[in-house]
Amino acid sequence: MKIKTKAYAKINLILDICGKRTDGFHELFTVMQSVSSCDVVTVEKSKGQGIRITCNDDAIPTDERNIVYKCAKAFFKANNINRYGISIDIDKRIPHEAGLAGGSADGAAVLVALNKLYKTDCSEEFLCTIGAEIGADIPFCIKGGTYLAQGKGEVLSKLKPLPKCYIVLAKPDTAVNTAAAYRSFDETGKMRTPDNFGMLCAVQSRNLDEISNKLDNVFEQFIEVPARVDIKSVMMQNGAIGTCMSGSGPTVFGIFKNRDNAEKSAVLLTQFAKNIIVCTPVSKGCNIYKVIE
């Protein structure tokens, strides 16, 4: 049996760091939204033993360093499966090191696919528990849609869905190391706190204009991203009602009410970014769309 799963990217509508925890992690307050840009992850049983990974992007490791390897191994351990042989293929479409949780989305997709492939009938919450041990974004990437995430990012509260809109993702040709970004926060702190309560009110009232007005990311206060100002300017000049950086960057996104404006903006952004995607909000984190017996 072969399972094909879409693993959706995420953006952060608001991201605040509330402090450092005693376990070394950081306390977060962030509203995350799944978007239609996705990787395609294919999982199937194979002859022999072990976990084999292939990927169309040479920059992605295909050994035990890959998050999908760690998720698969954790799944088998949690379900007391000692003998296994699987092949995992990642068709990478989400830019990596982009603040879009592409790796976490792939890990979530593997957990969901293995649950079906091995007929283990694990609950979504159990899969989230497995995933949380590997990466804080994985539980959200399993659930997907619109959620408030707290704690390390694994404490999730479901919110009302984002109204219909178009989202342009623009990733400059640079990478931001997440661990280094958090170290910068530890060293410099933040100058101001995003309007967390205001964003929650805007999301729960499904007011797209107010949501777009409240977009904020604390990392923008101390992480420098080349062309970020230019990207935001192009978006706003071409119909965006709000812009923000996602995660620890460097991807900048803009929210548009009109598809034509979003697509026009995407064309104009090619002078500042190589990876540009026009997408929409989705209600799932990953989606099994094909099962081949």
Side-chain angles (χ1 to χ4, degrees):
M1 181 185 291
K2 182 185 293 186
I3 308 290
K4 298 182 78 68
T5 306
K6 292 181 179 179
Y8 295 109
K10 65 82 184 165
I11 57 173
N12 300 82
L13 301 179
I14 197 166
L15 196 166
D16 187 19
I17 303 173
C18 303
K20 194 167 185 179
R21 298 154 49 114
T22 55
D23 60 6
F25 290 95
H26 292 79
E27 191 72 27
L28 301 180
F29 182 105
T30 180
V31 175
M32 297 198 284
Q33 173 65 52
S34 302
V35 296
S36 58
S37 175
C38 66
D39 292 343
V40 174
V41 180
T42 304
V43 183
E44 62 180 319
K45 291 183 180 180
S46 60
K47 295 180 180 179
Q49 293 292 301
I51 301 166
R52 179 174 176 268
I53 302 170
T54 55
C55 183
N56 63 329
D57 188 336
D58 293 338
I60 304 300
T62 55
D63 53 20
E64 64 275 4
R65 292 172 295 166
N66 195 303
I67 197 168
V68 304
Y69 184 100
K70 297 174 183 178
C71 284
K73 193 169 182 180
F75 174 87
F76 291 125
K77 181 179 180 180
N79 286 282
N80 297 312
I81 298 172
N82 299 314
R83 293 182 58 82
Y84 52 83
I86 58 165
S87 295
I88 302 170
D89 179 70
I90 306 169
D91 181 1
K92 200 71 185 161
R93 304 177 188 180
I94 303 170
H96 65 283
E97 295 185 325
L100 300 172
S104 294
D106 296 342
V110 165
L111 291 173
V112 170
L114 288 174
N115 192 35
K116 186 170 185 65
L117 193 64
Y118 282 83
K119 300 178 181 178
T120 41
D121 199 29
C122 297
S123 68
E124 184 176 79
E125 291 304 321
F126 186 66
L127 293 179
C128 287
T129 299
I130 297 172
E133 294 298 315
I134 309 300
D137 283 344
I138 294 177
F140 169 76
C141 290
I142 291 172
K143 291 176 176 289
T146 312
Y147 275 86
L148 167 64
Q150 295 173 280
K152 295 182 293 184
E154 84 289 8
V155 180
L156 299 173
S157 303
K158 189 171 181 60
L159 302 175
K160 291 185 178 179
L162 195 67
K164 180 180 178 180
C165 62
Y166 302 92
I167 298 166
V168 177
L169 309 176
K171 179 187 179 290
D173 190 20
T174 187
V176 175
N177 181 280
T178 301
Y182 279 105
R183 284 196 298 271
S184 295
F185 167 80
D186 294 336
E187 293 167 2
T188 64
K190 57 185 176 182
M191 293 177 285
R192 58 179 176 77
T193 296
D195 186 1
N196 298 325
F197 181 71
M199 174 60 84
L200 283 182
C201 292
V203 171
Q204 291 302 81
S205 64
R206 304 194 72 225
N207 185 326
L208 188 61
D209 288 295
E210 192 62 17
I211 291 169
S212 300
N213 185 52
K214 296 294 183 182
L215 296 176
D216 205 347
N217 185 334
V218 73
F219 280 114
E220 292 197 54
Q221 297 178 28
F222 47 85
I223 296 295
E224 290 299 324
V225 173
R228 180 173 61 200
V229 172
D230 294 318
I231 290 170
K232 288 188 171 190
S233 178
V234 168
M235 289 177 171
M236 294 301 292
Q237 289 172 13
N238 290 277
I241 57 175
T243 63
C244 194
M245 190 172 77
S246 184
S248 58
T251 299
V252 175
F253 67 90
I255 295 179
F256 296 76
K257 291 183 177 180
N258 181 282
R259 178 188 285 275
D260 290 341
N261 287 346
E263 292 178 346
K264 179 183 177 182
S265 178
V267 172
L268 295 172
L269 285 167
T270 55
Q271 61 187 308
F272 300 114
K274 290 183 178 179
N275 291 297
I276 301 167
I277 300 167
V278 179
C279 55
T280 57
V282 294
S283 61
K284 294 183 177 181
C286 51
N287 178 38
I288 292 176
Y289 72 97
K290 187 178 289 187
V291 178
I292 303 171
E293 297 290 346

